[in-house]
Amino acid sequence: LINSKTLFVFAFQTGHTTGPSLNNDKLYKFAYTAEVYVDQGKASLQKSVGYRISSGVDVNLLWRNPDNDDDQLIKVTIRDVQVENVNERPAAKNIFKGKSTEKIIGKEYLEALQRPIVLELVRGKVKNFYSYEDEPGFTQNIKRGLASLFQLQLHSGATREVDISGTCNTTYQVRQDQVTKIKALDSCEIEKQVYTSHNQILDVSMKATSATIYALEDSFIKSIKAEENYVLFMNSRRKTSAKIVSKQRLDLKSVQAGPGLIAGKQVASVIKTLDSSYVAVTLVAEPVKSECRKCPSLSEHWQSIREHLYPEKLSKAEAARSFLSFIQNIRKATKEEILQIIRSEKKELLPQVVDAVTSAQTPESLEAMLEFLDFKDASTSVLQERFLYACGFASHPSEMLLKALTTAFKGDVANEEIRETLVIVMGALIRKLCDREGCKLPAVVEAKRLILSRLEKAKKDDDVRMYLLALKNALLPEAIPQLLKYAESGEGPISSLAATALQRYNPSFFPKEVKETMNRIYHQNRKVHEKTVRTTAAAIILNSNPSYMEVKNILLSIGELSLEMNKYMLSMIQDILQFEMPSSKIVRKVLKDMRAHNYDRFAKMGSSSAYSGYITRGPDVTSTYSLDILYSGSGILRRSNVNIQLFDRNAELHASQVVIEAQGLESIIAATPDEGEENLDSFAGMSAILFDVQLRPVTFFQGYGDLMSKMLSATGDSMNVVKGLILLTDYSQEIQLQSGPRASTDFLGGLAIDISGGMEFSLWYRESKTNVKNRVAMFVAGNTEVDSFFIKTGMETTLEVETTLNFISTVQFSQYPFLVCMQMDRVESPFRRYVTKYESLPSGRRYTAKRGKAELLAGNEYPLHQENSDMCKKVFGTKSDSSSSWF
């Protein structure tokens, strides 16, 4: 039997509490295990992949400070190392079967692992960790994990403690024969690489816990159990998750006679006497990563995936998968390797290469792109635009990127559209850097100053528009006064653009002048405004915590407006009520006043409308759509607006907006323009927002001559707004496990997207049609891996979906009120998800378990509102009648 009083003696000496104190001339023999498990978030550990290292651990006292019993040196030696599966597995699935520990770990590493370490313990805390300078990082970290267990405090309280995990906030709870140590892992300061996505909805969250329980018997240590848990999940789909569990256990088995103490007064002299090769090294883990064997070069990897990235294949999930794997390889590549591919690739694949290289967001990839692209050369404008949009969608843009774009904008830019795109993307980068507390970075300060000062000096409408679009992305609080000026005093499209820029702000940023100005615009107190500007002003008021009188004045104005604007405003109010928007309470209150709410006001005819609805309502994310369409009194489209928003518990994301605007088209059907729109030039165009980034608008036609030539040569083909590959989710985290190994987790989500839109007229049928088609393919890959020097174990989760969302608006203006039919539908969509768990040895021996599910998500036609459904029946009923009586 072991006499417990010969074990770790915890003496409570005068004035302070000591840590563990070993008896002289004794050898303490422990059994040690360290286990690692990897699986899905809610899965049982019994089915997880992983491994177990088990060994004996010998501990003896080397030296005690003659002047301070709390200062002591202990020697720790790992012996009899074994490696096995963490869960029992049939021999055919056991990668360790028939292999000795020396074969698994390697003779050199096993010898290093079994070389002893020395700890200097002062009051129970590891003051110094002595090991060999040439020790491999992998084995050194396993020893650090073991050494960290020896830190113990015998009184309750919080402290800042250094161990293998870094410098961490640690709390001790002492109760009779048990000490519990809780480590706040999110507080640990340690060198590690982290990428996160810009928007929280697209990002990944991690919950981490660490607890170590010291069991005492008669006030002496009996065992130590430590457990860490890391659970990661995608915010947009929490079922897509990963879990890493690291467990350690140290049990005392026996106490034997051991070596005597080394004489000496100073630690340094004792260490030198013991072994002059010992050096003091940090207890904090050092970053280590095993080298990839037989990994393809960047060029070889590109050759294996390039066939999936031809333009005609970009709406397939395989394109998004290849895009993501290419990004991961580019992040490990040199500038020269990247340039070699860019310079040798054919024209039709280059835009996709540019998407991937730019999305990699490494200094090497940026330098390669800047060296390859020449903004003075108009012939490469397609590639320049793809580069700029990929910059705009950057998940974690750098100051260096913004500085490079600012320099390019100040220089010669051959293509005016590229110059406009440059400054628009600069606006997006300013906002992303400011969101990450980078507003005071020199490059951000310079870019803000440039945009604001040049807008102030701009004389041409095209220049004003360009800088307003940049501010629509930047959303700077200091830009609000200029936006108000242009919204109220600008003409036509400029006024409308400034108002829509203000609409993107969070209302909490607004000073009182914003609502004052919006009220003046809506009620036309100073000048006559276009209905597009007035309706935007009304939307801003109603979305900014409106007062009772503001809502009442808007309701009282209904009935005094032009017919179509009347109908649009009514529809907007009804949508606020039906969709329970924040202002619905105050609107209901005002509607109790019969002067504001009466039949004459609420029974106006017209075809314009505003409607919101749900696309999905899930436990994690809710997606909504809004459609609003505004016509002129003559039945010609003025504006159609399709929005898709995503919301979760704490964040929102403006996933997409496609706006088609037209003006000055009354002359083609000999109609009278509405008030305030008599002198507008003929124009139609499309503007898009994608994942919170305003893109450069495209023009269908400008001017009467251009309109007539387009109508006479019209093919009905759609115009592309955006086409390419976008990196949406970009999460990478290195995790230092307390038992020694380092884990890594990467979640990448890519989107292959093709948004196109068109506008058709038929004078013969007196009909117009707008069509917006969103074709997308999404692929998400999550890879969680624990990399020890002798084994890799991990799990890969993939999701893929392909879908198309169509919005068609058909208008027949042969009568009044004209017939309008809006259709929004999603086609049948394949959805696939797979989970692959694995363990592999450097020799190539591998265990893999894969399961998955493929299903076809049914298509869906969104109902919109009843009035629209009734109108569609009439439109298509009229069409079938006319076609049958054509001859």
Side-chain angles (χ1 to χ4, degrees), residues 197-199 202 355 358-359 361 385-397 401 425 428-429 432 473 654-655 688-695 722-730 751 753 755:
S197 303
H198 172 68
N199 188 281
L202 302 174
D355 287 340
T358 312
S359 298
Q361 299 170 76
E385 185 173 64
R386 289 287 274 266
F387 164 68
L388 291 172
Y389 281 148
C391 291
F393 296 126
S395 53
H396 48 273
L401 173 59
V425 169
L429 295 182
K432 289 186 175 184
N473 271 335
H654 198 168
I689 290 172
L690 197 57
F691 300 108
D692 268 337
V693 178
Q694 168 70 54
L695 309 181
V722 62
K723 187 172 191 172
L725 297 154
I726 300 172
L727 180 61
L728 286 184
T729 295
D730 187 11
L751 197 69
I753 191 161
I755 298 180

Side-chain angles (χ1 to χ4, degrees), residues 152-188:
L152 179 62
Q153 178 175 298
L154 282 179
H155 61 275
S156 296
T159 184
R160 193 104 170 114
E161 199 169 87
V162 177
D163 67 4
I164 184 171
S165 306
T167 306
C168 311
N169 293 338
T170 307
T171 304
Y172 284 90
Q173 298 168 356
V174 180
R175 288 182 187 172
Q176 294 182 337
D177 294 337
Q178 183 173 296
V179 178
T180 302
K181 177 165 69 174
I182 305 291
K183 184 161 56 179
L185 293 169
D186 57 355
S187 71
C188 295

Side-chain angles (χ1 to χ4, degrees), residues 254-295:
S254 67
V255 181
Q256 302 173 4
L261 299 185
I262 299 173
K265 287 196 172 183
Q266 300 295 326
V267 171
S269 62
V270 175
I271 292 293
K272 194 170 183 181
T273 303
L274 182 67
D275 189 336
S276 60
S277 300
Y278 273 126
V279 292
V281 294
T282 176
L283 190 57
V284 178
E286 59 186 285
V288 285
K289 199 160 191 176
S290 57
E291 288 184 16
C292 183
R293 300 179 186 182
K294 300 178 183 177
C295 283

Side-chain angles (χ1 to χ4, degrees), residues 449 452-460 464 482 486:
R449 187 198 58 75
L452 290 168
S453 63
R454 292 206 179 180
L455 173 60
E456 209 164 329
K457 296 171 187 171
K459 302 296 180 197
K460 295 179 184 174
V464 171
Q482 289 209 54
Y486 283 104

Side-chain angles (χ1 to χ4, degrees), residues 266-415:
Q266 300 295 326
V267 171
S269 62
V270 175
I271 292 293
K272 194 170 183 181
T273 303
L274 182 67
D275 189 336
S276 60
S277 300
Y278 273 126
V279 292
V281 294
T282 176
L283 190 57
V284 178
E286 59 186 285
V288 285
K289 199 160 191 176
S290 57
E291 288 184 16
C292 183
R293 300 179 186 182
K294 300 178 183 177
C295 283
S297 67
L298 183 66
S299 180
E300 288 168 340
H301 177 75
W302 169 242
Q303 290 304 318
S304 70
I305 62 164
R306 66 192 290 274
E307 65 177 286
H308 302 299
L309 292 173
Y310 279 90
E312 63 272 16
K313 296 182 179 179
L314 284 191
S315 57
K316 299 295 180 186
E318 192 57 50
R321 179 204 288 265
S322 301
F323 169 63
L324 296 181
S325 67
F326 193 29
I327 287 173
Q328 286 181 306
N329 277 273
I330 293 168
R331 284 179 170 168
K332 303 169 194 168
T334 64
K335 182 179 87 169
E336 288 68 31
E337 289 173 317
I338 297 167
L339 281 170
Q340 183 185 351
I341 290 176
I342 298 174
R343 287 173 173 156
S344 61
E345 197 44 82
K346 60 170 72 170
K347 191 176 179 181
E348 59 187 322
L349 282 169
L350 261 181
Q352 289 74 261
V353 175
V354 169
D355 287 340
V357 172
T358 312
S359 298
Q361 299 170 76
T362 63
E364 292 79 8
S365 64
L366 177 57
E367 286 171 17
M369 288 309 310
L370 293 174
E371 188 170 316
F372 174 69
L373 293 174
D374 180 5
F375 289 100
K376 296 173 188 171
D377 180 7
S379 66
T380 59
S381 59
V382 171
L383 299 179
Q384 292 168 27
E385 185 173 64
R386 289 287 274 266
F387 164 68
L388 291 172
Y389 281 148
C391 291
F393 296 126
S395 53
H396 48 273
S398 63
E399 184 186 14
M400 185 168 83
L401 173 59
L402 179 57
K403 190 174 181 180
L405 297 194
T406 306
T407 302
F409 181 74
K410 287 178 176 177
D412 293 333
V413 181
N415 185 307

Side-chain angles (χ1 to χ4, degrees), residues 610-864:
Y611 183 76
S612 300
Y614 289 100
I615 298 176
T616 59
R617 297 178 81 170
D620 306 318
V621 170
T622 295
S623 56
T624 65
Y625 65 88
S626 66
L627 303 173
D628 64 76
I629 192 156
L630 178 64
Y631 294 97
S632 68
S634 54
I636 291 181
L637 175 78
R638 280 295 273 117
R639 181 185 67 211
S640 79
N641 188 345
V642 187
N643 283 281
I644 296 175
Q645 302 263 11
L646 303 179
F647 301 87
D648 74 358
R649 296 170 179 82
N650 307 304
E652 64 179 273
L653 173 66
H654 198 168
S656 75
Q657 178 190 70
V658 179
V659 179
I660 295 178
E661 288 199 69
Q663 65 178 42
L665 306 186
E666 283 75 14
S667 55
I668 63 173
I669 58 169
T672 305
D674 291 348
E675 180 192 23
E677 302 179 1
E678 297 84 358
N679 301 316
L680 295 178
D681 197 11
S682 298
F683 165 83
M686 181 186 290
S687 172
I689 290 172
L690 197 57
F691 300 108
D692 268 337
V693 178
Q694 168 70 54
L695 309 181
R696 180 181 55 79
V698 296
T699 299
F700 297 148
F701 55 79
Q702 179 83 52
Y704 187 75
D706 189 24
L707 163 63
M708 295 313 293
S709 68
K710 292 273 172 65
M711 286 182 67
L712 294 171
S713 62
T715 61
D717 292 342
S718 294
M719 180 178 283
N720 184 257
V721 181
V722 62
K723 187 172 191 172
L725 297 154
I726 300 172
L727 180 61
L728 286 184
T729 295
D730 187 11
Y731 180 91
S732 179
Q733 171 93 288
E734 289 181 343
I735 299 169
Q736 179 58 53
L737 301 181
Q738 185 172 295
S739 55
R742 183 161 282 215
S744 63
T745 180
D746 298 282
F747 281 81
L748 287 177
L751 197 69
I753 191 161
D754 184 351
I755 298 180
S756 57
M759 190 173 183
E760 299 174 44
F761 288 96
S762 169
L763 291 177
W764 183 264
Y765 290 110
R766 296 179 75 80
E767 181 179 280
S768 73
K769 182 182 282 189
T770 60
N771 184 3
V772 177
K773 179 175 279 194
N774 296 267
R775 296 171 68 205
V776 296
M778 187 174 76
F779 187 87
V780 176
N783 190 26
T784 300
E785 183 174 85
V786 178
D787 181 6
S788 296
F789 57 93
F790 60 91
I791 179 176
K792 285 186 179 181
T793 182
M795 180 184 71
E796 185 180 66
T797 305
T798 62
L799 300 173
E800 54 186 84
V801 65
E802 299 165 10
T803 191
T804 301
L805 194 67
N806 295 307
F807 170 64
I808 301 167
S809 151
T810 307
V811 186
Q812 292 182 352
F813 45 86
S814 54
Q815 62 187 58
Y816 193 88
F818 32 85
L819 301 177
V820 180
C821 171
M822 292 186 291
Q823 297 163 278
M824 183 171 167
D825 65 70
R826 189 191 73 235
V827 302
E828 204 172 48
S829 310
F831 177 66
R832 296 175 284 270
R833 56 185 184 273
Y834 301 99
V835 175
T836 306
K837 295 186 280 190
Y838 61 88
E839 296 162 355
S840 68
L841 297 176
S843 62
R845 190 183 283 192
R846 186 177 175 92
Y847 163 75
T848 302
K850 183 174 182 177
R851 51 192 282 267
K853 186 177 181 182
E855 56 188 309
L856 203 58
L857 303 178
N860 187 21
E861 186 164 338
Y862 296 97
L864 308 183

Side-chain angles (χ1 to χ4, degrees), residues 214-225:
Y214 297 81
L216 310 175
E217 190 171 78
D218 297 328
S219 299
F220 305 112
I221 283 184
K222 184 181 179 183
S223 66
I224 305 172
K225 295 178 187 176

